[in-house]
Amino acid sequence: SPSPSSFLSTHFLTNIKKHIYFKMVKAKKGTVKFVLDCTAPVEDKVLDVASFEKYLQDRLKVDGKTGTLAASNVTISRDRTKLTIAAPSDIRFPKRQLKYLAKRYLKKQQLRDYLRVIAASKNSYELRYFAISGGDDAEDDAEE
């Protein structure tokens, strides 16, 4: 007769397989949208959204391959200050890749020392200026 531990492990594995299959069948066929908000640098005419969009079009990877955005139904759209990336939810599209590419673009444009990429919400990033404190001026006034 089988030992109790092998029975439990076999029973456990069959339940996991059923659970995984059930989850895969129930997956939604929606889209996931990510937003890159570039409002502050665009209003100051520091960043060009069109060139940033082109950079992302050329470098975004889907399943480890660049240049497969159209085949995977991943779209990048822009308005005056925001980029929206829409991807089908059945493909794994990492939000982290957007932050990485945004930081690389800022470095290439020599803006990385002034701008940073912050997660504004679950599906959005925002480009903000570094906060520079003006504490040095207050100390000089107090000494005089």
Side-chain angles (χ1 to χ4, degrees):
S1 77
S3 69
S5 62
S6 68
F7 172 75
L8 284 176
S9 62
T10 311
H11 180 69
F12 183 69
L13 285 174
T14 351
N15 282 342
I16 286 179
K17 287 178 185 174
K18 286 179 187 174
H19 183 70
I20 290 172
Y21 177 73
F22 185 69
K23 285 263 188 191
M24 289 172 63
V25 170
K26 289 204 67 155
K28 296 177 199 161
K29 290 286 184 184
T31 59
V32 180
K33 289 188 179 183
F34 300 103
V35 178
L36 280 164
D37 186 3
C38 313
T39 305
V42 169
E43 286 178 349
D44 294 341
K45 295 183 174 69
V46 174
L47 185 85
D48 180 27
V49 181
S51 68
F52 189 22
E53 180 190 21
K54 174 83 170 90
Y55 184 86
L56 290 177
Q57 287 274 6
D58 295 341
R59 287 173 176 79
L60 272 177
K61 288 185 178 181
V62 177
D63 294 330
K65 298 176 189 146
T66 56
T68 58
L69 292 182
S72 305
N73 294 329
V74 177
T75 58
I76 300 177
S77 57
R78 73 169 191 264
D79 60 12
R80 203 175 71 77
T81 60
K82 292 182 182 178
L83 287 172
T84 305
I85 295 94
S89 59
D90 57 340
I91 65 167
R92 289 179 41 86
F93 187 82
K95 177 184 168 192
R96 184 85 181 106
Q97 184 185 178
L98 292 175
K99 183 173 186 177
Y100 169 74
L101 288 173
K103 288 165 101 174
R104 279 201 41 193
Y105 178 77
L106 292 175
K107 184 74 173 174
K108 184 180 170 192
Q109 301 296 320
Q110 298 174 345
L111 297 170
R112 186 79 179 91
D113 296 336
Y114 312 107
L115 292 168
R116 62 187 189 154
V117 184
I118 297 175
S121 71
K122 186 178 176 233
N123 285 344
S124 71
Y125 282 116
E126 183 178 343
L127 298 183
R128 285 191 198 162
Y129 289 105
F130 281 107
I132 301 168
S133 62
D136 296 45
D137 295 336
E139 289 175 12
D140 291 339
D141 293 340
E143 290 174 6
E144 290 177 12

